[in-house]
Amino acid sequence: MGMTRTAGPENNTDDSVSDRLWYLITLSRPRFWLYLAGPIVVAVAAAASTTNELFLPVSLLLFAYFLFPANILLYGVNDLYDAEIDAENPKKGDKEARWQGDWSVLTAVIVSGVLGVGLFFITPPVAWPWLIGFFMLAVGYSAPPLRFKTTPFADSISNGLYILPGVAAYAVVAGSNPPLVAIAAAWLWTMGMHTFSAIPDIGPDRRAGIETTATWLGETRTYTYVGGCWLLTAALFAMVTPLLGALMIVYPLFVAGVALSDIDVTRAYWWFPALNTVVGALITMGALWQIVPVWEVIG
């Protein structure tokens, strides 16, 4: 016979702890964890010149922080200040969580921010401006008085925060910053990514009185804006290396395919992390092959 779980204070406490942990995981958006941690993998591969540089302890700590605690901070602040708005958003309560904050959740968000301060003690000064930029934008995107997410185009531009962990990781490994054209290209990519993800929210945001790039442009012009950002991304990355520019053409093709077909953008929104994972993996493998040529791997 199986054991029957009986009700009682101890079991209630266990349920409460497990429920809180599960809520924190949901709040952190596991589907999007690699949006912050993924650029670190790509950047380390691009910056490294030896296999030893691929596994520096500081790089591993950066990856660990931006995989989970940073997402608790970013989305926790977002959900805290969007609690009333999210009540009207159909995405919440389905694949994302509505704010259920209590002292434990708020403490987890604060602790995640405090852990981020520790990064300044393990990274060189060359990485600090990028880390500072991340924390300022991660909070300022959602929290007043800045609350960039409620200002058209400021919401889009501020989402460059997603590539800043990768820029910091590159600086840690290489001892210098990546080419400015690569930073600009990646920043434009995040602008397109953010605005594309805002299209499913146009209705709920308008009902809540929230102005965003997507609500201001409307759905059709938002597709054009996103496609323009991603075409510029491909063009700038082509200046770094033509193959990279060619690979990034997949993004404007993707948004054009969604815009010109009967594909529901809400459905396409959930495909996007898979596309990013595949592209990021290809870029990383290309960078790794510069360190260890592919013929040596398969030979």
Side-chain angles (χ1 to χ4, degrees):
M1 294 177 60
M3 294 185 65
T4 302
R5 191 173 190 177
T6 58
E10 183 177 350
N11 288 327
N12 288 341
T13 300
D14 290 343
D15 287 345
S16 178
V17 171
S18 62
D19 288 347
R20 291 293 88 188
L21 288 175
W22 181 250
Y23 170 72
L24 284 173
I25 291 172
T26 306
L27 175 145
S28 70
R29 319 289 204 271
R31 180 181 283 264
F32 304 138
W33 279 359
L34 288 181
Y35 281 10
L36 290 179
I40 293 176
V41 176
V42 175
V44 168
S49 56
T50 66
T51 53
N52 288 337
E53 290 179 340
L54 294 172
F55 302 101
L56 296 177
V58 62
S59 299
L60 297 176
L61 288 172
L62 282 170
F63 179 82
Y65 176 77
F66 283 103
L67 183 66
F68 187 59
N71 283 294
I72 290 288
L73 173 66
L74 176 63
Y75 295 115
V77 173
N78 179 82
D79 290 358
L80 170 63
Y81 288 101
D82 277 7
E84 293 185 11
I85 299 170
D86 287 344
E88 299 293 330
N89 192 332
K91 285 195 312 187
K92 303 294 180 177
D94 179 13
K95 295 182 179 180
E96 295 179 4
R98 290 187 172 89
W99 178 255
Q100 300 173 16
D102 57 16
W103 67 269
S104 62
V105 176
L106 190 57
T107 299
V109 174
I110 294 171
V111 168
S112 296
V114 173
L115 287 174
V117 175
L119 298 179
F120 292 91
F121 293 94
I122 62 172
T123 56
V126 68
W128 293 353
W130 309 110
L131 293 174
I132 291 171
F134 169 78
F135 289 112
M136 290 181 63
L137 291 175
V139 175
Y141 175 74
S142 301
L146 297 176
R147 198 156 162 76
F148 295 124
K149 69 179 300 175
T150 61
T151 303
F153 299 105
D155 60 339
S156 177
I157 294 170
S158 63
N159 264 254
L161 67 92
Y162 281 99
I163 58 100
L164 295 182
V167 180
Y170 184 103
V172 166
V173 176
S176 60
N177 294 316
L180 288 178
V181 66
I183 297 175
W187 202 292
L188 281 162
W189 172 77
T190 65
M191 289 169 59
M193 179 182 72
H194 165 267
T195 309
F196 178 77
S197 70
I199 294 174
D201 295 333
I202 288 176
D205 284 343
R206 282 177 171 169
R207 289 192 294 272
I210 300 299
E211 271 200 283
T212 67
T213 302
T215 63
W216 190 80
L217 290 175
E219 184 170 336
T220 300
R221 288 189 294 176
T222 299
Y223 281 124
T224 303
Y225 173 83
V226 172
C229 287
W230 284 339
L231 281 172
L232 284 173
T233 294
L236 291 177
F237 271 131
M239 296 172 63
V240 179
T241 170
L243 283 176
L244 182 55
L247 176 61
M248 298 305 287
I249 286 292
V250 69
Y251 285 100
L253 291 177
F254 172 80
V255 73
V258 175
L260 299 175
S261 70
D262 58 357
I263 296 173
D264 186 348
V265 67
T266 303
R267 184 180 181 188
Y269 166 78
W270 295 106
W271 298 341
F272 199 63
L275 173 62
N276 289 335
T277 300
V278 171
V279 171
L282 290 173
I283 296 173
T284 302
M285 287 190 292
L288 292 175
W289 289 340
Q290 299 299 311
I291 302 172
V292 182
V294 63
W295 54 85
E296 293 185 12
V297 176
I298 63 178

